[in-house]
Amino acid sequence: MRTLTILGSTGSIGTQTLDVVRSNPARYRVGYLTTNRRGQLLAEQIREFSPTGVVAFDPVVAQQLRAEFGSQLEVLEGEEGACTVASRPEVDIVVSALVGFAGVGPTIAAIQQGKRIALANKETLVAAGELITRLLKQHNAELIPVDSEHSAIYQCLVGESSAEIEQLILTASGGPFRELPADQFQHITPAQALRHPNWSMGPKITIDSATLMNKGLEVMEARWLFDVPPENIDVVVHPQSIIHSMVQFVDGSVKAQLGLPDMRLPIQYALGWPQRIPNEYQRMDLPLIGSLAFAQPDFQRFPCLGLAFDALRRGGTAPAILNAANEIAVAQFLDGQLRFTDIPRCIERALERAEIVDSPSLTDILTADARTRADVRRENASTK
Amino acid sequence: MRTLTILGSTGSIGTQTLDVVRSNPARYRVGYLTTNRRGQLLAEQIREFSPTGVVAFDPVVAQQLRAEFGSQLEVLEGEEGACTVASRPEVDIVVSALVGFAGVGPTIAAIQQGKRIALANKETLVAAGELITRLLKQHNAELIPVDSEHSAIYQCLVGESSAEIEQLILTASGGPFRELPADQFQHITPAQALRHPNWSMGPKITIDSATLMNKGLEVMEARWLFDVPPENIDVVVHPQSIIHSMVQFVDGSVKAQLGLPDMRLPIQYALGWPQRIPNEYQRMDLPLIGSLAFAQPDFQRFPCLGLAFDALRRGGTAPAILNAANEIAVAQFLDGQLRFTDIPRCIERALERAEIVDSPSLTDILTADARTRADVRRENASTK
């Protein structure tokens, strides 16, 4: 029986993690849950899973939860609360499923206690990959990816020598605008961009999938998770999202992991590794699917992907700057303040303007992040 | 530096194995080579690779080789000679690439000396799977498959627990008659059947690919190699032969091994395992390939596949009988004595007629094999 802290239990990955816990009551119990401000859903989760404690990032929501549940369980608030419940000694596994840069601090807290981290928060490795890699070794913590692509690569590498990796091949669905002509991109609305063809995910990551920035962030994650330089990471468009990613080895042999698009699979894998947990989920049927298609990604129509490769090659705080600029630009696009095509422009300007710090400390990263957010907000406010 | 005996060095797998040796002179040296009757090609191989000894199954060919090379190296003959060179103490790896049932004896000889066997001879496991499995354990020998399908499964299982296998999924190109209407099958000529769309192989295995018996034999091999019962082995038609096979685990996750159709890859893998040997062979390019197709196999037009599953489920000497009947029927089809559609009929009759012995000894298997061959020859002679 292993005890979980689920950072972000009311989000898409969080609720699917609870679905896995629900199906495996003899394997997992819920220690702690956190939400940003979805108090009502968290209250339902409290009633079903009886955690030891919960956290709301929003103090008002925390206050409401305290009023209802304060006598039964601990109710903490803010990032500090999230760090606390990520570090508790009885916790075995921390599912890091916060959205955006907010996930970095609590994930580091969990690493410092030598936990297993089931990592769904991309920004941790994107912004602080070098630092996180160092901390993982230092504290003997385990980082198992939850992203379907990285879980696929992780599975392909089981029993293989990392020295024999020739290329990582990340597959990309191509998003909803895979076949949209270039001149239509400026007219894309948030509602159109939120309709992902294969995966049901939160709004930030869905927009990132539509710009292919999501794939760019995944390239960065892969670079740190598997210690592979950017020139040995490829992206291939695969609209069906059946092959979740691949590894090519030095002998030319390629291994792939496949399955129906269902995030519970990689969540399960990250919780159970090295054991696979049996389930009754629907099985993939390739004859029924009929065929799998592949194409090169189009760096012209999707400039975010190239920007991500550039920032990764530049290193230092460049990925943190790209990530911060992207978070603000995506939020502003969703709010109707920016056009879809402004997202990459905004990131490019942020990278050009910023001073990039090499081998950054956590403070350097936090500073780069905060400064970029402020700069992008200021600039976009002034150009309105 | 590891020393090889290549049983069947003048065949398709044998010459490709020598190509791997040629590219890796620091890793492998040739100890012994064998041929059935291709003395001239063996003579060339002797000049290039300077083996310690050679074997010709045909005594006339052995005599000719002795005349030319007798002063430089040992020249043996027959199956006894093959068993001898498979057992020599300085040999580390025996590549078992003889065609048909003739491969069983020398492969067993290598197992009894605890060698690594790179197994390309299907019949060893088809006819004597239970026995071979027992001998492997007893003599602590290693059996690494060379068939691209089984090599794929072997690679997918590295680092995984065999208790977590849910299904093995063997891919089949479908052969040259994948789309031929049922009523055309009786008119198929040997020349048509010898044109395989993806792989360049010897004639016996090429005909087996056209009838799908090859896939049936592979199902049998897989059953013993990976200790998976027939009901957990599936066949999927995949005309491009890019995905070489797959494993589905108990959590629904599927792993696949992919690559261009090039037998040197699985040969290399079997020789080098657990190490992968770097090479400059052409790499797979999925965007260039464009798409991969999948379909259910048609058991009506390809009855050999169903016969193989039936024989495997029946067990005992049934697979040996099926294999012997198939070898004779294929030879007679190639000689123009049988029609393509007579091959499964001939096998079916052989299985109906025979007495099947359970948990057979090697003698039982040899007897079943010899009796079936004689019966099929007699019957087909009498019906002409």
Side-chain angles (χ1 to χ4, degrees):
Chain A
M1 179 71 98
R2 311 198 74 192
T3 299
L4 310 186
T5 286
I6 305 176
L7 301 171
S9 67
T10 57
S12 171
I13 296 294
T15 53
Q16 291 182 82
T17 304
L18 286 172
D19 193 58
V20 171
V21 172
R22 192 179 287 124
S23 310
N24 293 279
R27 289 175 197 265
Y28 304 112
R29 65 171 295 275
V30 173
Y32 301 90
L33 301 173
T34 86
T35 190
N36 187 6
R37 54 180 70 193
R38 300 178 71 179
Q40 206 159 5
L41 180 52
L42 188 61
E44 287 170 32
Q45 294 178 345
I46 290 171
R47 286 184 210 106
E48 181 176 357
F49 294 99
S50 312
T52 309
V54 297
V55 179
F57 274 67
D58 186 315
V60 177
V61 175
Q63 198 46 51
Q64 291 162 347
L65 288 165
R66 223 172 265 127
E68 189 174 352
F69 299 103
S71 61
Q72 307 160 230
L73 48 81
E74 196 175 9
V75 180
L76 302 172
E77 62 187 60
E79 190 182 332
E80 207 191 308
C83 290
T84 303
V85 302
S87 319
R88 284 282 158 86
E90 76 271 29
V91 172
D92 303 297
I93 306 176
V94 175
V95 179
S96 172
L98 297 174
V99 177
F101 194 77
V104 178
T107 305
I108 289 181
I111 293 172
Q112 285 169 334
Q113 297 305 316
K115 309 287 189 202
R116 167 175 297 191
I117 326 288
L119 186 73
N121 172 272
K122 290 197 163 60
E123 290 72 10
T124 301
L125 283 172
V126 167
E130 203 179 330
L131 180 73
I132 294 288
T133 309
R134 207 165 53 232
L135 289 173
L136 282 168
K137 273 194 202 127
Q138 194 179 324
H139 298 284
N140 206 18
E142 289 174 335
L143 195 70
I144 321 265
V146 164
D147 255 0
S148 63
E149 292 79 358
H150 302 94
S151 179
I153 292 172
Y154 200 93
Q155 292 181 53
C156 290
L157 287 176
V158 164
E160 301 282 352
S161 153
S162 60
E164 294 178 345
I165 300 172
E166 183 169 274
Q167 202 80 14
L168 303 180
I169 305 166
L170 289 165
T171 54
S173 72
F177 310 123
R178 188 169 51 88
E179 298 190 310
L180 193 74
D183 60 1
Q184 300 297 306
F185 272 64
Q186 55 181 330
H187 306 303
I188 291 170
T189 65
Q192 290 169 331
L194 285 169
R195 260 180 248 126
H196 193 274
N198 303 339
W199 295 99
S200 158
M201 305 177 293
K204 159 71 166 62
I205 186 173
T206 305
I207 301 303
D208 284 346
S209 294
T211 63
L212 290 203
M213 179 55 93
N214 186 49
K215 211 49 56 179
L217 299 178
E218 286 175 6
V219 168
M220 296 182 176
E221 265 191 291
R223 188 259 169 277
W224 296 110
L225 271 171
F226 306 112
D227 193 20
V228 170
E231 57 271 25
N232 295 341
I233 306 177
D234 259 358
V235 173
V236 166
V237 173
H238 167 45
Q240 292 89 354
S241 296
I242 292 294
I243 295 190
H244 296 312
S245 278
M246 296 174 259
V247 178
Q248 181 170 297
F249 296 94
V250 292
D251 60 354
S253 177
V254 174
K255 273 163 78 172
Q257 188 267 334
L258 302 82
L260 295 175
D262 183 339
M263 284 307 296
R264 293 174 303 179
L265 276 177
I267 291 169
Q268 266 208 185
Y269 189 79
L271 298 182
W273 180 88
Q275 226 190 314
R276 294 179 178 274
I277 305 172
N279 62 42
E280 301 292 318
Y281 303 160
Q282 200 192 334
R283 298 308 192 229
M284 179 183 77
D285 180 340
L286 281 177
L288 192 72
I289 294 166
S291 86
L292 304 178
F294 305 91
Q296 293 286 3
D298 182 343
F299 285 81
Q300 241 77 53
R301 288 183 304 140
F302 299 97
C304 285
L305 185 57
L307 288 171
F309 269 104
D310 290 346
L312 181 58
R313 275 189 288 261
R314 176 59 190 85
T317 47
I321 293 162
L322 168 133
N323 178 63
N326 182 57
E327 274 191 48
I328 300 300
V330 168
Q332 294 188 330
F333 167 69
L334 285 170
D335 280 353
Q337 298 173 51
L338 287 184
R339 283 179 306 179
F340 190 80
T341 43
D342 290 332
I343 299 172
R345 278 188 211 126
C346 187
I347 297 164
E348 196 168 10
R349 273 200 307 274
L351 281 164
E352 280 167 10
R353 191 174 42 211
E355 242 179 86
I356 291 161
V357 180
D358 285 314
S359 303
S361 65
L362 183 58
T363 309
D364 293 329
I365 293 163
L366 292 169
T367 307
D369 178 77
R371 187 170 294 163
T372 304
R373 283 166 200 265
D375 287 352
V376 173
R377 279 204 191 91
R378 190 178 330 108
E379 183 178 90
N380 290 349
S382 70
T383 57
K384 262 206 298 193
Chain B
M1 179 70 98
R2 311 198 74 191
T3 299
L4 309 187
T5 286
I6 305 175
L7 301 171
S9 68
T10 57
S12 172
I13 295 293
T15 54
Q16 293 183 82
T17 303
L18 285 171
D19 192 57
V20 171
V21 172
R22 192 179 287 123
S23 310
N24 293 279
R27 290 175 196 265
Y28 304 111
R29 65 171 294 276
V30 173
Y32 300 90
L33 300 174
T34 86
T35 190
N36 187 6
R37 55 179 71 195
R38 299 178 69 179
Q40 205 158 7
L41 180 51
L42 188 62
E44 287 170 33
Q45 294 178 345
I46 292 170
R47 285 182 211 106
E48 180 176 356
F49 293 98
S50 310
T52 309
V54 297
V55 179
F57 274 67
D58 186 314
V60 177
V61 175
Q63 198 46 51
Q64 290 163 347
L65 288 165
R66 221 171 268 125
E68 189 173 352
F69 299 103
S71 61
Q72 307 160 231
L73 49 83
E74 195 176 10
V75 180
L76 303 173
E77 62 187 59
E79 188 181 334
E80 205 190 311
C83 290
T84 303
V85 301
S87 321
R88 283 282 158 88
E90 77 272 29
V91 172
D92 302 296
I93 306 176
V94 175
V95 179
S96 172
L98 296 173
V99 177
F101 194 78
V104 178
T107 305
I108 289 180
I111 292 172
Q112 286 170 333
Q113 297 305 314
K115 309 288 188 199
R116 166 174 299 190
I117 325 289
L119 185 74
N121 173 272
K122 290 197 164 59
E123 290 73 10
T124 301
L125 283 174
V126 167
E130 202 179 331
L131 179 74
I132 293 288
T133 308
R134 204 164 55 232
L135 288 174
L136 282 168
K137 274 196 201 125
Q138 193 180 324
H139 298 283
N140 206 18
E142 289 173 334
L143 195 70
I144 321 262
V146 163
D147 254 0
S148 62
E149 291 79 359
H150 302 93
S151 179
I153 292 173
Y154 200 94
Q155 292 182 53
C156 290
L157 288 176
V158 164
E160 301 282 353
S161 153
S162 60
E164 294 178 345
I165 300 172
E166 184 170 275
Q167 202 79 14
L168 303 181
I169 305 167
L170 290 164
T171 54
S173 72
F177 310 123
R178 187 168 52 87
E179 299 191 309
L180 194 74
D183 60 1
Q184 300 297 305
F185 272 64
Q186 57 181 325
H187 306 303
I188 291 170
T189 66
Q192 291 168 330
L194 283 170
R195 262 180 247 126
H196 194 274
N198 303 337
W199 296 99
S200 156
M201 305 176 292
K204 159 71 166 59
I205 186 173
T206 303
I207 301 303
D208 284 345
S209 294
T211 62
L212 290 203
M213 179 54 93
N214 187 47
K215 210 50 55 178
L217 298 177
E218 286 175 6
V219 168
M220 297 182 175
E221 261 192 294
R223 187 262 169 277
W224 295 110
L225 270 172
F226 306 112
D227 193 21
V228 169
E231 56 273 25
N232 295 341
I233 306 177
D234 257 0
V235 173
V236 166
V237 173
H238 166 46
Q240 292 90 355
S241 296
I242 292 293
I243 294 190
H244 297 312
S245 277
M246 295 174 262
V247 179
Q248 180 170 298
F249 296 94
V250 290
D251 60 354
S253 177
V254 174
K255 275 164 77 174
Q257 190 267 337
L258 302 82
L260 295 176
D262 183 340
M263 283 308 295
R264 292 174 305 178
L265 276 178
I267 291 169
Q268 265 208 185
Y269 189 79
L271 298 182
W273 180 88
Q275 228 189 314
R276 293 179 177 276
I277 305 172
N279 62 42
E280 303 292 317
Y281 303 158
Q282 200 191 333
R283 297 307 191 231
M284 179 185 76
D285 180 340
L286 281 178
L288 192 73
I289 294 166
S291 85
L292 304 178
F294 305 92
Q296 294 286 3
D298 183 343
F299 285 81
Q300 241 78 55
R301 287 184 304 141
F302 299 98
C304 284
L305 185 56
L307 288 171
F309 269 103
D310 289 346
L312 182 57
R313 275 188 290 260
R314 176 59 189 85
T317 47
I321 293 162
L322 168 132
N323 177 65
N326 182 58
E327 274 193 46
I328 300 301
V330 168
Q332 294 187 330
F333 167 70
L334 284 170
D335 280 354
Q337 298 173 53
L338 287 185
R339 284 179 305 177
F340 191 79
T341 43
D342 290 332
I343 299 173
R345 277 186 212 129
C346 187
I347 296 164
E348 197 169 7
R349 272 200 308 273
L351 281 164
E352 280 166 8
R353 188 174 45 210
E355 240 178 90
I356 292 162
V357 179
D358 285 313
S359 304
S361 66
L362 184 58
T363 309
D364 293 330
I365 294 164
L366 292 169
T367 308
D369 178 79
R371 187 169 298 163
T372 305
R373 284 166 199 265
D375 286 353
V376 173
R377 278 202 192 90
R378 190 177 334 106
E379 181 179 273
N380 290 347
S382 69
T383 58
K384 264 207 294 195

